[in-house]
Amino acid sequence: MAGALAPLALLPLLAGCGRLSGPSLEITMLVGSALGGFCKESAAAIERDPPRLPDGTRVLLRCRASGSGDVVSEMESHARAVLQGGGRAADPAIPTLVSVDGEIYQELLRHRLQAIAPGRSLIPLSADAPALATSPMVLMTTPALVKGLQRPQPFLAMARVDNHQQLDPTGPPQPIRFVQTAPTRSNSGLQTLVAMVAEVSGKRPEQLTLTDVKAHAAAVAAIQKHVTRYGSSTDELARTMQRNGVFWASVASVYESSVVAANGRREPGQEALVAVYPRATYSSTMRAILPTAPWVSAQERQAATLLIERLQQPALQRIAADQGLRPANPAVPMSRITAAYGADPRAVYDSLRAPSPAVVEAIITSWRNQVKKPSRVALVVDSSGSMKGDKLPSAQRSLQAYLAQTGPRDVLGLIDFDSSVREPVELRGGPADAAKAMTFVSGLSAEGGTRLYDAVEAGRNWLRRTRRPGEILAVVVLTDGNDSGSRLSLQALEAELRRSGFASDDRIGVFTIGYGSSGEYNADALRRIAESNGGVFVEGTPDSILKRMEQLQLAF
């Protein structure tokens, strides 16, 4: 029984927590990132007062959150393993309940699982899956820039201009800097991309054809030229835009709830952010999806149904409202959808529908190969002596996976450093230079010191020398140690990075990954390096490094 624990096996665990006794059944729910907070808080509330099956078994909820694209990929992998590869239907790793952040990815999930099991309907239609919350897609900006975006076709207008004064003569002449999530992994990014294709084609999304996708790729690319950064979640983009200011990004395509959250955490001196509602946009309805599949037992189906009913009740729907979501239960007021939080509870918009799955797949492929703003990334890799043991092989596997996921519009400079900083190995993403990438990765060996600061500067300098107009520029640094032997000091490096950061024409971001156990690397120094010019610092272990690098890759 997927997601379940045998009642007798669970008794010691429950006795240890001191709150529950008797048999319990735990149901795992895999949700999109926008519903993650609601699911987690709801699970805690349910644990305090769980529903019961007829035999008295308590039903508990365990939540995992990921990008909607990752949710689809994981469920596709589970379905293939069970239905085609002899995998166990009772594998506890398979979630019982699923949710994605909108209709497009739910229909894509149906489509992909039907390809694995033709003739079977494993995933319900969107209309047949109970709604838990909604959050319309909006354009997040500052009050000074709102007027220029309040127009029938904001994306089409952005394709034709370079700055905000061209959108609104009374606005400032600052460049349009746009951020959205990556459509390959995020529902908000995919909805944004589909809305762009629909707008430039003059059709509704459900009317789009494969011919339309091909015919309007150049027009969508003209909108994407304004992109400063892609990302893995709307909340992450909203936080970064709030921290770095309007000159880092002046417009973001995010959920309404991201605007609410940003204004809820606004600090003194930070500018308020406002939601602009396009005339036609996606409602982003988040639903509880209960598969009709071999990995969902009769008992689990019964338990999951009880959980869905509980998640729709007012007590838990108020949790959704408190997080800036629009509750699915009409009896619960939208407590934070107010002007004070940058939102409009009376906003009127035409709710867009999903294109056919075949068109969605074509839009994703077109974005990766033609439409996406090209990137140029310096990948700076620590191969010092401290990388010996399991660190280097794990890092090599992660680098190989990272490079395999790059597209033909990406250019990389691979820089290996220890006591020396080696010359960059330049290659193009995708299959064209796969052999060159493999040679670099397999040739890494752990020895020598850690000239970290000099290596970061070398990555920045390579970008300055080789950049082309219209590229996203970034340095990604993977290191497990403290700097030793660099010509530059940390302060001097910070000054150099600020000179080529987002306040300059270079607009080079630096992303740092501290690799290994806490204390093995200088987390404060890596954070200072990243945040000196609008980048991000993350930490990774041999077990988590691939996920960390995949998440960073979405930025480009």
Side-chain angles (χ1 to χ4, degrees), residues 442-477:
S442 61
L444 295 173
S445 60
E447 58 186 2
T450 311
R451 284 181 56 191
L452 170 64
Y453 303 154
D454 290 348
V456 175
E457 184 192 37
R460 190 284 308 265
N461 291 345
W462 174 78
L463 290 171
R464 275 183 155 181
R465 290 195 309 271
T466 65
R467 66 178 183 172
R468 300 291 183 268
E471 293 178 324
I472 297 175
L473 305 176
V475 180
V476 175
V477 184

Side-chain angles (χ1 to χ4, degrees), residues 141-149 164-165 168-172 174 246 250 271-274:
T141 190
T142 62
L145 304 178
V146 165
K147 185 179 177 182
L149 297 170
H164 284 277
Q165 195 170 71
D168 170 24
T170 66
Q174 69 186 74
V246 71
S250 56
E271 193 167 16
L273 295 166
V274 182

Side-chain angles (χ1 to χ4, degrees), residues 26-340:
E26 188 177 77
I27 297 295
T28 296
M29 186 171 186
L30 177 61
V31 303
S33 57
L35 206 64
F38 165 72
C39 192
K40 183 178 179 180
E41 288 194 32
S42 295
I46 287 170
E47 186 173 356
R48 292 190 291 269
D49 180 25
R52 295 172 182 265
L53 295 173
D55 65 1
T57 298
R58 294 174 173 86
V59 179
L60 305 178
L61 177 64
R62 183 170 70 88
C63 298
R64 284 197 289 118
S66 192
S68 291
D70 292 328
V71 172
V72 171
S73 296
E74 179 175 333
M75 295 309 298
E76 186 180 7
S77 177
H78 288 313
R80 183 171 288 108
V82 172
L83 299 173
Q84 296 180 346
R88 293 191 307 120
D91 184 350
I94 306 177
T96 300
L97 281 169
V98 179
S99 180
V100 289
D101 292 337
E103 178 188 3
I104 297 179
Y105 261 120
Q106 181 165 347
E107 292 306 310
L108 197 59
L109 176 61
R110 271 178 53 83
H111 172 71
R112 291 187 179 176
L113 265 59
Q114 282 177 336
I116 295 171
R120 299 180 64 174
S121 182
L122 301 176
I123 302 296
L125 293 166
S126 295
D128 295 332
L132 301 177
T134 64
S135 190
M137 291 298 302
V138 300
L139 297 176
M140 182 175 75
T141 190
T142 62
L145 304 178
V146 165
K147 185 179 177 182
L149 297 170
Q150 289 176 325
R151 54 179 63 234
Q153 297 177 311
F155 290 129
L156 201 53
M158 284 196 288
R160 297 167 175 165
V161 301
D162 296 317
N163 64 63
H164 284 277
Q165 195 170 71
Q166 292 170 318
L167 292 175
D168 170 24
T170 66
Q174 69 186 74
I176 297 172
R177 305 291 190 190
F178 182 73
V179 291
Q180 67 169 82
T181 55
T184 51
R185 303 283 286 280
S186 166
N187 178 73
S188 66
L190 184 54
Q191 289 182 161
T192 299
L193 185 61
V194 171
M196 288 178 179
V197 176
E199 194 168 294
V200 300
S201 70
K203 291 185 175 182
R204 296 189 61 82
E206 64 270 23
Q207 298 171 330
L208 290 171
T209 66
L210 297 178
T211 301
D212 292 324
V213 176
K214 184 176 181 180
H216 298 287
V220 179
I223 307 169
Q224 295 275 300
K225 71 182 180 183
H226 295 300
V227 169
T228 291
R229 182 183 301 172
Y230 299 100
S232 58
S233 77
T234 54
D235 279 349
E236 179 265 329
L237 285 181
R239 284 192 297 269
T240 308
M241 180 173 171
Q242 186 175 46
R243 182 177 68 247
N244 294 333
V246 71
F247 294 102
W248 178 79
S250 56
V251 187
S253 183
V254 298
Y255 297 120
E256 177 187 62
S257 59
S258 299
V259 181
V260 172
N263 285 311
R265 61 175 172 260
R266 186 159 59 97
E267 298 177 359
Q270 286 184 329
E271 193 167 16
L273 295 166
V274 182
V276 176
Y277 298 79
R279 183 171 296 179
T281 193
Y282 279 97
S283 295
S284 308
T285 301
M286 302 150 204
R287 300 177 180 274
I289 302 169
L290 179 55
T292 304
W295 55 83
V296 179
S297 70
Q299 185 188 39
E300 288 173 321
R301 177 168 295 279
Q302 190 177 25
T305 300
L306 291 176
L307 289 174
I308 293 171
E309 292 172 355
R310 180 67 66 86
L311 290 169
Q312 292 180 307
Q313 291 178 0
L316 297 189
Q317 286 283 290
R318 280 192 284 273
I319 294 174
D322 289 343
Q323 294 190 357
L325 297 167
R326 297 184 176 222
N329 189 325
V332 178
M334 299 182 291
S335 56
R336 293 203 173 189
I337 310 299
T338 66

Side-chain angles (χ1 to χ4, degrees), residues 380-384 415-418 420-422 450-452 455:
V380 179
V381 183
D382 181 350
S383 61
S384 60
I415 300 176
D416 166 25
F417 77 95
D418 43 45
S420 302
V421 181
R422 293 165 185 84
T450 311
R451 284 181 56 191
L452 170 64

